[in-house]
Amino acid sequence: MATNLSIEPELIERALRVSGERTKKAAVTKALQEFIARREQKGLLDLMGKLEWDPVFDYKSERTRD
């Protein structure tokens, strides 16, 4: 899907520099992927302290090594 965006050239240049990507498209794609990952992680962190854990659950018994 082609999309035209007006992004500050200074931001694009910084994104290219810090990401190590060679193209603007790759830098923007990487930035979006990292943005989404951080927001999803934040959602998980927001659950900290809100979930009740079963103290008798043996999580080690659920592990398998294949």
Side-chain angles (χ1 to χ4, degrees), residues 28-44:
V28 170
T29 299
K30 180 174 270 192
L32 287 171
Q33 290 169 337
E34 290 181 10
F35 173 81
I36 292 165
R38 281 189 164 209
R39 290 294 172 109
E40 288 175 341
Q41 289 172 357
K42 185 183 179 310
L44 292 175

Side-chain angles (χ1 to χ4, degrees), residues 9-25:
E10 196 174 289
L11 288 175
I12 290 289
E13 291 304 318
R14 286 178 63 194
L16 284 166
R17 193 169 51 251
V18 301
S19 70
E21 296 295 337
R22 301 175 100 194
T23 66
K24 292 176 185 178
K25 177 183 176 182

Side-chain angles (χ1 to χ4, degrees), residues 57-66:
F57 177 69
D58 183 11
Y59 67 92
K60 289 184 180 181
S61 68
E62 298 294 320
R63 293 181 181 172
T64 60
R65 292 189 181 210
D66 296 326

